[in-house]
Amino acid sequence: QVCCSGHGKNGSLSVLQQSIRPDLITEVELPSCRGIWTVYYKSSRAHTTEDNEYHAYLIISLEGRTMVLETGDDLGEVTETVDYYVQGATIAAGNLFGRRRVIQVYTTGARVLDGSFMTQELNFTAHSSESSSSSSEPLGVASASIADPYVLLKMVDGTIQLLVGDHSTCALSISVPSIFTSLSEKISACTLYRDRGPEPWLRKTRSDAWLSSGIAEPVDGGGSSSQEQSDIYCIICYESGKLEIFEVPSFRCVFSVESFLSGEALLVDAKGRQDDTKVSLKKEAADSIRVVELAMHRWSGQFSRPFLFGLLNDGTFLCYHAYCYEGLESNVKDNSFSPAGSVDLASASDSRLKNLRFRRISVDITLREDISSLARPRITIFNNVGGYEGLFLSGTRPVWVMVCRQRFRVHPQLCDGPIEAFTVLHNVNCCHGLIYVTSQVRSCLNICIFLIYFKK
């Protein structure tokens, strides 16, 4: 867009562009980059608070290897002196056990590291009951989701595995949820969601919330607040489009939707629906469209509620905002009492999120590209980039989605062309900044900060 601005001798021709332009600190040419992650290391944070803690390492996944850089005063490569897996690409990386350990997931395994030293290595194998041979074969990881102390793995064959952490030993064990061992339907996308706070939000949407208030034990382990509690949930979407939410680690289903990918205006628990109407896609569309990425997050704020995101392989971006439905039926308690007046535990154990609803939010985002189910993750959630929180969508048309008073503000970043990877960076020389990798003419790694101020 072009406009005339100013007056008299100060008049000029102005070009308006709807695009964010972060302020560049450093640019480095970096070909064949597939993913980037920044991680913390607890022993290096001294007495800093969690929000002000500096990142310790930058992990860069290339096409056939992995680079590791220290993020101190300067970015220095330490690939040859650390115990990270560097012989191949990295699938995901993050922190576990209150940032005391780093977890690195690669195609056939994972490593747990105490700073630069490896403390545990896991190898992933097929656990299928249909396997006739006694020896397990290596099984590749397609994607991973990390929610301390759990790591959810989606394998290339459409199955999942769960890594369960032990805070006392800072070690992981591999678990295959029994509910999925004989599952015939493949999983198209999955993620973990950590519902944390003095009172985790999803608890109030349970059908037995009036019975279970305050009975759960904190599982945080990080120890920032004795009153803080957290619940872990696993969100899974199948190739048929059905979405289910499970408690972790019990993997008891607490919420399900028959056709998530159809983009209904309202998502209601299928078990608690009063009507039998189902939204179905055309057969040819149902065969080709599937959810390739899921994310769920609740940003800060006294009255904040979780958001649920889904990315389809045709580039459609679904966004839902959760709320607690307090209709007439939510005030009517089930027959949870015996004639003697005691609580019927069998009935009270039905703790589905029957009062949970998701309302679809319209966001002006169209990626305009076909996305493979085995492609790299596109959704990156951030809590502090230049003082702002939201998510970043990488791809051919990268987009910032800023959260302001529980509302979304969409800002494209088209000035650098396609963006392959994105992560946040906080260190001495880059205060709450960001790193992204472009792939237009030459692939470059850009370290930037925000000097752009939006009206809050």
Side-chain angles (χ1 to χ4, degrees):
Q1 298 178 0
V2 181
C3 71
C4 296
S5 61
H7 179 267
K9 65 177 183 179
N10 295 320
S12 62
L13 191 65
S14 301
V15 179
L16 306 180
Q17 183 175 354
Q18 188 188 11
S19 178
I20 282 184
R21 291 177 177 267
D23 287 81
L24 183 65
I25 297 178
T26 305
E27 181 183 60
V28 180
E29 190 167 347
L30 185 68
S32 304
C33 180
R34 294 294 177 263
I36 51 177
W37 301 267
T38 46
V39 294
Y40 300 95
Y41 179 44
K42 184 177 181 179
S43 67
S44 64
R45 67 178 172 179
H47 299 289
T48 59
T49 63
E50 185 173 299
D51 291 338
N52 292 324
E53 181 178 354
Y54 289 154
H55 288 107
Y57 295 99
L58 169 63
I59 303 169
I60 303 174
S61 177
L62 304 177
E63 196 165 311
R65 63 188 183 96
T66 294
M67 293 176 57
V68 182
L69 285 77
E70 279 187 332
T71 57
D73 295 339
D74 297 312
L75 291 182
E77 185 175 357
V78 291
T79 304
E80 301 298 327
T81 61
V82 295
D83 291 339
Y84 283 82
Y85 176 77
V86 298
Q87 293 79 22
T90 296
I91 302 296
N95 284 100
L96 291 176
F97 311 119
R99 297 181 177 176
R100 288 180 292 166
R101 295 292 186 270
V102 176
I103 174 72
Q104 179 195 20
V105 180
Y106 50 95
T107 306
T108 58
R111 292 188 179 184
V112 180
L113 300 107
D114 183 0
S116 60
F117 302 101
M118 181 177 65
T119 60
Q120 185 183 11
E121 184 171 20
L122 300 169
N123 294 315
F124 306 136
T125 56
H127 286 73
S128 174
S129 59
E130 299 176 358
S131 177
S132 57
S133 62
S134 58
S135 62
S136 299
E137 297 180 357
L139 187 61
V141 179
S143 63
S145 177
I146 302 170
D148 191 10
Y150 301 100
V151 181
L152 181 68
L153 307 173
K154 177 181 174 291
M155 318 308 285
V156 293
D157 64 349
T159 62
I160 66 168
Q161 296 186 20
L162 183 71
L163 305 184
V164 182
D166 185 345
H167 280 287
S168 61
T169 61
C170 290
L172 295 174
S173 60
I174 302 176
S175 171
V176 180
S178 58
I179 191 174
F180 300 111
T181 54
S182 59
L183 189 68
S184 59
E185 188 174 9
K186 290 186 177 182
I187 296 171
S188 63
C190 58
T191 189
L192 292 177
Y193 166 62
R194 187 178 186 183
D195 192 26
R196 62 186 297 177
E199 183 183 0
W201 189 88
L202 285 180
R203 290 186 189 177
K204 63 182 71 172
T205 67
R206 295 180 179 274
S207 56
D208 63 349
W210 58 288
L211 287 173
S212 61
S213 58
I215 64 172
E217 301 234 347
V219 298
D220 179 73
S224 61
S225 172
S226 60
Q227 295 182 347
E228 180 152 302
Q229 304 179 65
S230 65
D231 300 326
I232 307 294
Y233 295 90
C234 173
I235 302 96
I236 289 179
C237 193
Y238 303 93
E239 290 188 351
S240 64
K242 182 179 181 180
L243 180 137
E244 291 183 325
I245 299 179
F246 298 88
E247 291 180 331
V248 176
S250 66
F251 274 88
R252 177 176 55 183
C253 183
V254 294
F255 187 87
S256 62
V257 177
E258 289 299 326
S259 185
F260 173 72
L261 57 78
S262 64
E264 295 184 62
L266 187 67
L267 301 183
V268 182
D269 183 22
K271 189 174 181 180
R273 293 191 70 144
Q274 300 296 325
D275 60 304
D276 295 329
T277 58
K278 293 182 180 180
V279 177
S280 58
L281 299 174
K282 293 182 180 180
K283 187 177 186 304
E284 58 272 16
D287 292 338
S288 59
I289 297 178
R290 64 189 59 184
V291 178
V292 296
E293 190 173 351
L294 287 170
M296 190 170 177
H297 191 73
R298 180 163 71 101
W299 281 279
S300 62
Q302 182 179 0
F303 303 105
S304 65
R305 292 175 279 123
F307 288 91
L308 175 64
F309 307 100
L311 187 60
L312 309 187
N313 60 345
D314 65 351
T316 302
F317 182 68
L318 300 177
C319 174
Y320 288 90
H321 201 184
Y323 70 95
C324 184
Y325 178 71
E326 298 179 353
L328 181 62
E329 68 271 13
S330 65
N331 296 323
V332 179
K333 308 294 187 294
D334 295 333
N335 295 327
S336 302
F337 293 90
S338 66
S342 60
V343 178
D344 186 350
L345 294 179
S347 178
S349 64
D350 180 18
S351 57
R352 289 182 69 92
L353 308 179
K354 290 183 178 179
N355 297 327
L356 176 62
R357 302 287 188 272
F358 288 96
R359 179 177 60 87
R360 185 172 179 182
I361 297 176
S362 177
V363 289
D364 186 18
I365 296 177
T366 304
L367 298 185
R368 300 178 186 175
E369 59 181 316
D370 291 331
I371 302 171
S372 168
S373 59
L374 297 178
R376 65 195 180 280
R378 304 297 182 97
I379 303 173
T380 304
I381 292 173
F382 58 88
N383 293 313
N384 189 351
V385 173
Y388 298 94
E389 55 187 11
L391 65 89
F392 184 85
L393 272 174
S394 58
T396 57
R397 296 179 60 85
V399 173
W400 292 83
V401 182
M402 305 294 188
V403 180
C404 180
R405 298 175 183 174
Q406 296 295 292
R407 297 291 184 270
F408 285 151
R409 294 184 177 180
V410 179
H411 301 276
Q413 182 177 326
L414 307 177
C415 54
D416 296 302
I419 291 181
E420 291 287 326
F422 173 94
T423 192
V424 298
L425 174 65
H426 181 50
N427 70 355
V428 175
N429 298 314
C430 184
C431 182
H432 295 297
L434 59 131
I435 304 176
Y436 62 89
V437 179
T438 61
S439 63
Q440 198 166 24
V441 179
R442 60 190 183 98
S443 182
C444 292
L445 184 144
N446 298 274
I447 301 176
C448 306
I449 57 173
F450 257 162
L451 293 179
I452 305 171
Y453 298 94
F454 304 100
K455 185 178 180 181
K456 292 188 176 182

